[in-house]
Structure formats: structure tokens, C-alpha cells
Amino acid sequence: MRRSGRLRAAAVGLLGLGLLASGCGGGGGGSGDGTVTIRYSWWGAKDRAELIQKTVELFEKKYPNIKVKTDFAEYADFWSKFNTQAAGGNPPDVFQNSVAFLRKYGEKNILLDLNQQVKAGNLSMKDFRAGLEKAGEVDGKLYGVPVGANTFALFYDPTEFKKAGVTPKDGWTWDEFFSAAQKVSKDGDGLYGAGDNAGVMYLYDLYLRQEGKAFFTEDKKLGFTEGDLKTWWGDWYGKNKDGVLVPAKKAEQVKPKATISADLAAAEFTWDNFLVRFAAETKTELDLGPIPTLDGKKTGQYLSSLMLSGSARTQHPKEVAKFIDFMTHDPEVGKIMGYNRGVLPTNAQYKAFKPTGVNAKIAKYEESVTDKLEPITPHPAGADVAEAAFLRIYGQVAQGKTSVDDAVDQFFSEAKTALGS
């Protein structure tokens, strides 16, 4: 499921959550024989649930005094239920989370600061790849631990690009990318050069980082001007009208597929681990290529991740910490999960899983960009609402329903309200 679409759903009801007291009420139960039960919830499809259930069985075998009650749902349903539970003071003890929600939930005292459990020796933050041990830190508190990581990539059809005489390569520029897309759209027999990804917040964030800016600043505000956004949206919409990019109407018709997996486009930008999904949706061979640059060097890339977080209201923080530790470090868990939630977070799991096919392509790509990665800026509270607005409002531009100038004004108004700035 696309992150932007998922975040739109997650935004519903979040503002209704009240401040919760830490360390009381809620949580799983205990029994007279010393057995503790914790509740574990996540979002995802049935295939993820089947894999996770296997890892839970491994954990319970190693820790027979800890029982894990599991629950999962599709993204929107997960967050709807979670918000209700959190507002009622009874969220799951441990749950799947992402960087977009750490600060929001942390500021509402919903998340357990895991630093104390690290100090107590119940959770290790050692042996993580590429600085991922810092991914869940916000304002000095540890609110999440990565279970998988990904980074942005160019997805492309190597056959079509070869026909157009273009090979995506390190250091190529945005001008070269759009020139390649134009060649493909002219020679592709109805195939468009690329999907229109101007409304993808994470892609624009990379572009801004290449300019020395960022979508969000450390002081929880937008890190770009109205003029910056008018240029970005204006350039992409111009290429859309010129027939280089997939028209909005056609992109809508093939959802939930992406334009590249629906064989409408020869290129698209998204998270590298989506290759698993796209490869299952199309017979066209796809490959991963480098992000275009402004200066031939800086891509602005960073690792994002799915995480496990604990509830501040859990009665069993020690058991929650041991559970998170097992799920992020145990090699057998790595073999079972593979890249379902992204490339594995710790060296022990990464080495234990031997990727083949599309997973091998993802691993190769991540290794190729390791030396280009930069720290991620923690998202402010309201980032999910801003992301949803960014996608929705550009969608109105792409559909010809509003002008770029009016769309930019609308976005800044909605984003400032969401961010409280």
C-alpha cells in the first residue's frame, strides 16, 4: 500500500487523542503461574501476518513465560482501532509504527521510552545497519526500533530505456531523467516515460535535500517556500501536459497498482522494497536505478523504516523490550521475514537471510547507496496530515481542477494548520 495513501487514512481521528498518563492502566495481563501476556498489533496483508505468526511462535518457544496475543488489519482499519484503544487508555503493548508518527504519538505520551530498557539490558541497540539504531530517536527518547528499512529508488523498465538509448547511472541529473522519459514516451508505443510523482512528499524531500533544504525543519516547520513548490509542481505538471508523464485519469483507473506495474509507465519513484510487490503485479522486468541529482553527487537519500514501538501504558515494559529485541536481532526471524517489511535492520538478520530474485536486486541497490545516505529529520506532529494534503492537492492540479498557484496556497494553508505553525 502506498505510504501517502496509508497516511491519509492514519490521519483520521488522530487529533481526538488526549494526553495519557505514562506507566499506568492498560497493557496485557499476568497469571498466577508467572506467565505474562502481551498484545502485539500490526498492519499488513495476510502474507505478512502468516510470517509474523511464525516469528511469534519462535519467541514464545524461547520465552515460555511470555505469551503474545496477536492482532492485525489493513492499514486504515489498524489505525482506526488503535486510535480508539489509545483514546480509551488501552493500546496494544507493542505495535508496528513508522517514523511519521513517532513525534506525534510521543508528544501525547502514548509511546514507551525504551531507553530505560536498553540500560537495563533487556533491549540491545547494537549491530544495526547504516545508523538505523538512531532511526527511532526523537528529542532524546527512544520511541521505536526498526524491523525493516528502505530508501527511495528509481524503478524503471530496462528494455524501454535501452531502446531509448538511456542507461540510468550514478550522478545523472534531473534534466537527463526527464529527457530520457521524453524519449521513451515518444518511442514507447503508448507507454509513458514516467509516472507523475510530483505529489509524493518523500520524493520532493529528496529534491529539497539536494538543494540543502528539507521538507520539514528541525523546528517542526516546512523547509521550503511557496516559490519553491510552484517551481516543482509547475515543472512536473508541464511535462504531464506534454504527454511525458502518465495522465491523472489513467493513473486513477489502474489503482491500487502503480503506473509502472500496470504497464503504463517506464519509470516511477518509490521505496525500493516495493519491487517485491511490483514484480508480482507485472510480467515486465523491472530494475532499480539511482535517484537523479542536481549536482551529479548528492541524492539526499536516507533510510526510513517500519518500527516496533511500545505503549507507555503497558504493565510489562521488560517483556515488551525482550520481544522487540528478539524480533530485531534473532537470525531465524530474519530468515522468516525476509524483506517483507524492508531490508532487515541488524547485521545478524541481514546476513542470515540469503536474498534471491527481486530481493537480491533490492539488497544490491541498498548496498550501492550506503555511502550516500544521510540522517533523516524526525517528522513533526502533523506530518502525516501534511503529506496527505500534498498528495491530494497536487492530484487536483494533475487533473486540471486547480491551478498550480492556487494549489500551492491551499497546501501551505493546510500544512501550517496541521503543523501548528
Side-chain angles (χ1 to χ4, degrees):
M1 194 181 258
R2 284 195 173 281
R3 286 172 174 251
S4 46
R6 296 190 313 237
L7 290 172
R8 280 200 303 273
V12 177
L14 289 178
L15 297 179
L17 289 174
L19 292 175
L20 300 176
S22 174
C24 58
S31 66
D33 63 1
T35 299
V36 166
T37 298
I38 59 174
R39 293 158 48 219
Y40 173 32
S41 298
W42 68 89
W43 69 81
K46 184 179 179 180
D47 63 334
R48 176 175 295 174
E50 291 173 348
L51 296 175
I52 288 179
Q53 197 61 50
K54 292 179 181 178
T55 68
V56 168
E57 290 170 3
L58 280 181
F59 174 79
E60 290 180 330
K61 185 176 181 179
K62 181 174 180 179
Y63 295 96
N65 62 324
I66 305 175
K67 301 301 179 184
V68 183
K69 183 178 180 181
T70 61
D71 182 42
F72 80 98
E74 291 290 345
Y75 191 81
D77 292 337
F78 169 87
W79 284 112
S80 177
K81 183 175 182 179
F82 179 85
N83 293 335
T84 300
Q85 292 172 328
N90 190 36
D93 297 274
V94 60
F95 56 95
Q96 189 170 283
N97 203 352
S98 81
V99 68
F101 300 114
L102 294 181
R103 180 165 268 142
K104 169 173 281 189
Y105 284 124
E107 290 178 354
K108 294 179 182 295
N109 296 325
I110 293 171
L111 302 183
L112 176 68
D113 181 2
L114 291 161
N115 277 320
Q116 190 171 9
Q117 296 302 319
V118 174
K119 293 177 182 177
N122 298 319
L123 170 63
S124 172
M125 294 305 296
K126 297 180 179 179
D127 196 43
F128 281 83
R129 299 188 308 109
L132 281 171
E133 68 276 3
K134 301 291 185 181
E137 292 184 0
V138 176
D139 301 331
K141 296 182 178 180
L142 181 62
Y143 285 143
V145 182
V147 290
N150 52 11
T151 189
F152 244 65
L154 168 71
F155 286 63
Y156 72 101
D157 179 340
T159 300
E160 292 297 330
F161 269 68
K162 185 176 181 180
K163 283 165 57 178
V166 179
T167 301
K169 59 186 183 300
D170 284 336
W172 71 328
T173 65
W174 286 100
D175 287 341
E176 288 174 321
F177 164 72
F178 283 117
S179 177
Q182 186 173 27
K183 290 179 182 178
V184 170
S185 63
K186 285 184 177 181
D187 303 330
D189 297 324
L191 188 71
Y192 292 89
D196 190 344
N197 299 140
V200 178
M201 182 189 79
Y202 291 97
L203 181 62
Y204 187 42
D205 187 33
L206 293 187
Y207 187 87
L208 289 168
R209 289 162 70 96
Q210 292 177 14
E211 293 185 317
K213 304 175 184 179
F215 201 98
F216 300 113
T217 64
E218 291 285 355
D219 58 355
K220 309 175 186 179
K221 297 178 180 179
L222 295 175
F224 55 97
T225 67
E226 287 92 337
D228 292 333
L229 185 54
K230 286 178 182 179
T231 298
W232 173 258
W233 277 354
D235 286 349
W236 280 77
Y237 183 52
K239 293 175 176 63
N240 188 313
K241 291 192 296 183
D242 289 342
V244 176
L245 308 177
V246 177
K249 184 176 181 180
K250 291 191 175 184
E252 284 293 325
Q253 290 172 344
V254 300
K255 287 183 177 179
K257 285 187 176 182
T259 58
I260 192 168
S261 63
D263 297 320
L264 283 178
E268 182 137 0
F269 292 97
T270 190
W271 302 98
D272 58 1
N273 65 307
F274 279 33
L275 184 61
V276 176
R277 171 191 142 192
F278 291 172
E281 293 177 343
T282 179
K283 294 181 180 179
T284 302
E285 180 188 357
L286 301 177
D287 210 342
L288 300 176
I291 298 293
T293 68
L294 288 170
D295 62 2
K297 297 178 181 178
K298 184 179 177 67
T299 66
Q301 285 173 275
Y302 49 82
L303 285 180
S304 187
S305 64
L306 286 181
M307 303 182 183
L308 293 183
S309 292
S311 165
R313 297 181 69 95
T314 183
Q315 297 175 357
H316 308 292
K318 177 180 178 180
E319 287 78 9
V320 165
K322 286 182 176 293
F323 180 80
I324 294 175
D325 184 82
F326 183 83
M327 292 300 169
T328 53
H329 290 276
D330 187 82
E332 291 303 314
V333 170
K335 291 179 182 179
I336 292 171
M337 293 304 304
Y339 293 169
N340 182 275
R341 295 178 295 195
V343 178
L344 293 159
T346 55
N347 289 311
Q349 291 189 343
Y350 184 77
K351 293 174 182 176
F353 177 65
K354 306 301 180 185
T356 59
V358 293
N359 285 315
K361 285 186 178 181
I362 297 169
K364 182 179 179 181
Y365 176 75
E366 290 225 354
E367 290 171 359
S368 74
V369 302
T370 297
D371 61 349
K372 301 181 179 71
L373 298 175
E374 303 172 1
I376 186 174
T377 302
H379 288 194
D384 54 326
V385 179
E387 181 188 2
F390 195 76
L391 181 70
R392 170 175 46 82
I393 294 170
Y394 179 73
Q396 296 169 353
V397 173
Q399 294 166 24
K401 294 181 178 180
T402 189
S403 69
V404 169
D405 286 357
D406 288 346
V408 170
D409 290 342
Q410 181 184 351
F411 170 73
F412 269 77
S413 175
E414 291 190 23
K416 288 180 178 178
T417 298
L419 299 176
S421 58

